[in-house]
Amino acid sequence: MSCPIKILLVVILWQAGTIHSVTTQEQSRIKRKKFYVGLEMGVGLLELSRNNLPVDRTGRFAMGFYGGYSPFRWLRAGLNLNGWLIEPFGYDYDPSKGVSIGNTFGQIELFPFRKLNFLINLEGGVSTYTNMHPHEFTTRGTGGKFGFGYEHD
């Protein structure tokens, strides 16, 4: 290999190394985005009581949408719309079927550590119980949620 080709090869490799290190430094400075949206789905344990008699907890499908604004790296504030399906709605065959609980919550998430993505989640708002059975009723009241979590980047 001739000397100019060796020098050119060294310069190209050196340049590639510096570009990678600058890119890595820039990635470490990336801040959290100002707006956020998301979807949450899963199964949760919900305890119902009928006629003041407790019933065992059973797994129920839950789904929610959330979004909001992050004015600071340690704070996010937004809206969370979620719900539990207790009995499937029967619009096609029997319109008197269906029981669900829906929540409309204001959400505040706090990130207390600068280098870790652990969070504290505080939510509060209105919960609505919907029951389509003929002799039942729909009602609403206040609700809330408190939790800890980890956000994976």
Side-chain angles (χ1 to χ4, degrees), residues 49-124:
S49 63
R50 298 180 195 268
N51 300 328
N52 293 326
L53 299 172
V55 179
D56 290 336
R57 291 181 182 220
T58 57
R60 305 290 183 186
F61 177 73
M63 185 170 103
F65 301 97
Y66 59 90
Y69 180 71
S70 180
F72 309 107
R73 190 244 171 267
W74 54 269
L75 173 68
R76 289 198 311 199
L79 186 66
N80 188 324
L81 306 171
N82 62 58
W84 302 79
L85 181 61
I86 299 170
E87 178 185 275
F89 289 87
Y91 294 114
D92 297 338
Y93 303 108
D94 186 3
S96 66
K97 290 183 101 180
V99 179
S100 67
I101 297 174
N103 301 310
T104 304
F105 288 161
Q107 178 180 41
I108 294 177
E109 290 181 342
L110 303 170
F111 293 84
F113 305 109
R114 183 177 288 267
K115 304 258 182 195
L116 301 173
N117 283 336
F118 289 104
L119 62 94
I120 300 169
N121 185 27
L122 306 167
E123 296 180 22

Side-chain angles (χ1 to χ4, degrees), residues 2-38:
S2 66
C3 187
I5 294 175
K6 287 181 183 178
I7 291 173
L8 183 62
L9 187 60
V10 168
V11 168
I12 290 172
L13 291 175
W14 176 77
Q15 190 71 331
T18 58
I19 290 172
H20 175 68
S21 65
V22 169
T23 305
T24 305
Q25 289 173 357
E26 289 299 319
Q27 286 177 352
S28 67
R29 289 187 216 151
I30 292 175
K31 295 180 181 174
R32 194 177 301 278
K33 293 182 177 163
K34 292 291 184 181
F35 292 96
Y36 67 96
V37 294

